[in-house]
Amino acid sequence: MAFKIRETQEDPTRLHDRRTLFRQQRGKCGGCGFAFEFRNLQIDHIVPMVDGGTDRLENLQLLCAHCNHAKGSRSQENLSDYLRKIGVIA
């Protein structure tokens, strides 16, 4: 199943954050580790906002749509456990 990514007007600060994260992560998803094009990665809070996470760059990462959906508002550890369970990461 293919995901269609909607292009929206983005806050210039958030766009700068995405570009910074893309460079830091070398274009790879922070969950599965696969390389993606810039437009196919979504900003995620490592520590979810509901658990006290902030919008600071140190708490942000880029995830592919599948990993972002799988993580939801759960922890990064929960995402890693899920990806190990389905055999995506070791």
Side-chain angles (χ1 to χ4, degrees):
M1 179 162 104
F3 292 98
K4 182 168 176 120
I5 306 299
R6 242 184 321 149
E7 294 293 328
T8 60
Q9 290 286 25
E10 194 160 3
D11 174 12
T13 303
R14 187 50 56 109
L15 184 58
H16 173 73
D17 289 349
R18 281 184 65 208
R19 288 184 177 136
T20 299
L21 291 167
F22 189 80
R23 281 192 304 276
Q24 287 175 352
Q25 293 178 213
R26 298 185 175 139
K28 295 181 181 176
C29 171
C32 64
F34 291 110
F36 286 88
E37 292 182 28
F38 177 78
R39 64 187 171 96
N40 292 335
L41 290 167
Q42 304 169 358
I43 289 186
D44 171 69
H45 293 88
I46 297 168
V47 176
M49 298 288 283
V50 297
D51 293 336
T54 68
D55 277 333
R56 294 181 53 101
L57 194 57
E58 300 81 27
N59 189 47
L60 300 176
Q61 67 179 340
L62 295 177
L63 296 177
C64 67
H66 178 264
C67 286
N68 197 24
H69 177 75
K71 182 175 181 278
S73 63
R74 292 177 289 279
S75 71
Q76 184 71 16
E77 185 176 316
N78 184 277
L79 174 62
S80 295
D81 290 345
Y82 166 74
L83 293 172
R84 269 192 287 287
K85 181 179 177 181
I86 65 170
V88 173
I89 61 174

PDB file of all heavy atoms in Angstrom, residues 3 9 17 21-22 24 29 52 56 71 84:
ATOM      1  N   PHE A   3       1.584   5.303   0.469  1.00  0.00           N
ATOM      2  CA  PHE A   3       1.098   6.444   1.222  1.00  0.00           C
ATOM      3  C   PHE A   3       1.265   7.682   0.362  1.00  0.00           C
ATOM      4  O   PHE A   3       2.307   7.896  -0.224  1.00  0.00           O
ATOM      5  CB  PHE A   3       1.909   6.644   2.510  1.00  0.00           C
ATOM      6  CG  PHE A   3       1.708   5.568   3.511  1.00  0.00           C
ATOM      7  CD1 PHE A   3       2.613   4.526   3.615  1.00  0.00           C
ATOM      8  CD2 PHE A   3       0.618   5.577   4.343  1.00  0.00           C
ATOM      9  CE1 PHE A   3       2.434   3.525   4.532  1.00  0.00           C
ATOM     10  CE2 PHE A   3       0.435   4.585   5.277  1.00  0.00           C
ATOM     11  CZ  PHE A   3       1.348   3.552   5.363  1.00  0.00           C
ATOM     12  N   GLN A   9       1.419  24.020   3.639  1.00  0.00           N
ATOM     13  CA  GLN A   9       2.212  25.171   4.029  1.00  0.00           C
ATOM     14  C   GLN A   9       2.841  24.839   5.371  1.00  0.00           C
ATOM     15  O   GLN A   9       2.154  24.481   6.311  1.00  0.00           O
ATOM     16  CB  GLN A   9       1.333  26.420   4.162  1.00  0.00           C
ATOM     17  CG  GLN A   9       0.834  26.933   2.842  1.00  0.00           C
ATOM     18  CD  GLN A   9       1.938  27.628   2.057  1.00  0.00           C
ATOM     19  OE1 GLN A   9       3.117  27.353   2.238  1.00  0.00           O
ATOM     20  NE2 GLN A   9       1.553  28.513   1.182  1.00  0.00           N
ATOM     21  N   ASP A  17      13.976  22.843  10.872  1.00  0.00           N
ATOM     22  CA  ASP A  17      14.219  21.698  11.765  1.00  0.00           C
ATOM     23  C   ASP A  17      14.264  20.401  10.962  1.00  0.00           C
ATOM     24  O   ASP A  17      15.131  19.560  11.192  1.00  0.00           O
ATOM     25  CB  ASP A  17      13.129  21.579  12.831  1.00  0.00           C
ATOM     26  CG  ASP A  17      13.195  22.678  13.880  1.00  0.00           C
ATOM     27  OD1 ASP A  17      14.202  23.412  13.919  1.00  0.00           O
ATOM     28  OD2 ASP A  17      12.227  22.787  14.654  1.00  0.00           O
ATOM     29  N   LEU A  21      17.437  17.934  10.786  1.00  0.00           N
ATOM     30  CA  LEU A  21      17.311  16.529  11.174  1.00  0.00           C
ATOM     31  C   LEU A  21      17.660  15.604  10.011  1.00  0.00           C
ATOM     32  O   LEU A  21      18.308  14.572  10.203  1.00  0.00           O
ATOM     33  CB  LEU A  21      15.890  16.243  11.669  1.00  0.00           C
ATOM     34  CG  LEU A  21      15.528  16.894  13.002  1.00  0.00           C
ATOM     35  CD1 LEU A  21      14.017  16.812  13.241  1.00  0.00           C
ATOM     36  CD2 LEU A  21      16.291  16.262  14.147  1.00  0.00           C
ATOM     37  N   PHE A  22      17.256  15.974   8.806  1.00  0.00           N
ATOM     38  CA  PHE A  22      17.552  15.163   7.624  1.00  0.00           C
ATOM     39  C   PHE A  22      19.067  15.024   7.451  1.00  0.00           C
ATOM     40  O   PHE A  22      19.575  13.930   7.193  1.00  0.00           O
ATOM     41  CB  PHE A  22      16.905  15.784   6.384  1.00  0.00           C
ATOM     42  CG  PHE A  22      16.982  14.920   5.164  1.00  0.00           C
ATOM     43  CD1 PHE A  22      16.084  13.872   4.994  1.00  0.00           C
ATOM     44  CD2 PHE A  22      17.930  15.147   4.185  1.00  0.00           C
ATOM     45  CE1 PHE A  22      16.135  13.064   3.861  1.00  0.00           C
ATOM     46  CE2 PHE A  22      17.992  14.356   3.047  1.00  0.00           C
ATOM     47  CZ  PHE A  22      17.096  13.309   2.891  1.00  0.00           C
ATOM     48  N   GLN A  24      21.373  15.452   9.893  1.00  0.00           N
ATOM     49  CA  GLN A  24      21.893  14.710  11.046  1.00  0.00           C
ATOM     50  C   GLN A  24      21.655  13.209  10.898  1.00  0.00           C
ATOM     51  O   GLN A  24      22.504  12.408  11.259  1.00  0.00           O
ATOM     52  CB  GLN A  24      21.245  15.196  12.338  1.00  0.00           C
ATOM     53  CG  GLN A  24      21.700  16.542  12.800  1.00  0.00           C
ATOM     54  CD  GLN A  24      20.937  17.018  14.027  1.00  0.00           C
ATOM     55  OE1 GLN A  24      19.968  16.416  14.473  1.00  0.00           O
ATOM     56  NE2 GLN A  24      21.380  18.134  14.578  1.00  0.00           N
ATOM     57  N   CYS A  29      15.388   7.034   8.290  1.00  0.00           N
ATOM     58  CA  CYS A  29      14.324   7.013   9.293  1.00  0.00           C
ATOM     59  C   CYS A  29      14.928   6.706  10.655  1.00  0.00           C
ATOM     60  O   CYS A  29      15.769   5.808  10.785  1.00  0.00           O
ATOM     61  CB  CYS A  29      13.287   5.953   8.906  1.00  0.00           C
ATOM     62  SG  CYS A  29      12.047   5.650  10.175  1.00  0.00           S
ATOM     63  N   GLY A  52       5.477  14.595  28.438  1.00  0.00           N
ATOM     64  CA  GLY A  52       6.326  15.703  28.855  1.00  0.00           C
ATOM     65  C   GLY A  52       7.406  16.081  27.859  1.00  0.00           C
ATOM     66  O   GLY A  52       8.272  16.894  28.174  1.00  0.00           O
ATOM     67  N   ARG A  56      11.727  20.987  21.342  1.00  0.00           N
ATOM     68  CA  ARG A  56      13.150  21.300  21.118  1.00  0.00           C
ATOM     69  C   ARG A  56      13.740  20.305  20.128  1.00  0.00           C
ATOM     70  O   ARG A  56      13.359  19.134  20.111  1.00  0.00           O
ATOM     71  CB  ARG A  56      13.914  21.271  22.438  1.00  0.00           C
ATOM     72  CG  ARG A  56      13.471  22.380  23.405  1.00  0.00           C
ATOM     73  CD  ARG A  56      14.267  22.317  24.684  1.00  0.00           C
ATOM     74  NE  ARG A  56      15.694  22.331  24.422  1.00  0.00           N
ATOM     75  CZ  ARG A  56      16.480  23.404  24.541  1.00  0.00           C
ATOM     76  NH1 ARG A  56      15.958  24.532  24.938  1.00  0.00           N
ATOM     77  NH2 ARG A  56      17.766  23.328  24.292  1.00  0.00           N
ATOM     78  N   LYS A  71       4.568   4.159  15.888  1.00  0.00           N
ATOM     79  CA  LYS A  71       4.987   4.736  17.173  1.00  0.00           C
ATOM     80  C   LYS A  71       3.847   5.490  17.822  1.00  0.00           C
ATOM     81  O   LYS A  71       3.600   5.353  19.014  1.00  0.00           O
ATOM     82  CB  LYS A  71       6.188   5.663  16.982  1.00  0.00           C
ATOM     83  CG  LYS A  71       6.701   6.258  18.291  1.00  0.00           C
ATOM     84  CD  LYS A  71       7.964   7.073  18.048  1.00  0.00           C
ATOM     85  CE  LYS A  71       8.495   7.639  19.344  1.00  0.00           C
ATOM     86  NZ  LYS A  71       7.817   8.861  19.755  1.00  0.00           N
ATOM     87  N   ARG A  84      11.637  -4.786  16.067  1.00  0.00           N
ATOM     88  CA  ARG A  84      12.360  -6.047  16.287  1.00  0.00           C
ATOM     89  C   ARG A  84      11.410  -7.233  16.143  1.00  0.00           C
ATOM     90  O   ARG A  84      11.726  -8.237  15.525  1.00  0.00           O
ATOM     91  CB  ARG A  84      13.009  -6.076  17.669  1.00  0.00           C
ATOM     92  CG  ARG A  84      14.419  -5.542  17.697  1.00  0.00           C
ATOM     93  CD  ARG A  84      15.144  -5.850  18.994  1.00  0.00           C
ATOM     94  NE  ARG A  84      14.700  -5.063  20.136  1.00  0.00           N
ATOM     95  CZ  ARG A  84      14.977  -3.776  20.317  1.00  0.00           C
ATOM     96  NH1 ARG A  84      15.700  -3.120  19.445  1.00  0.00           N
ATOM     97  NH2 ARG A  84      14.564  -3.138  21.371  1.00  0.00           N
TER      98      ARG A  84
END
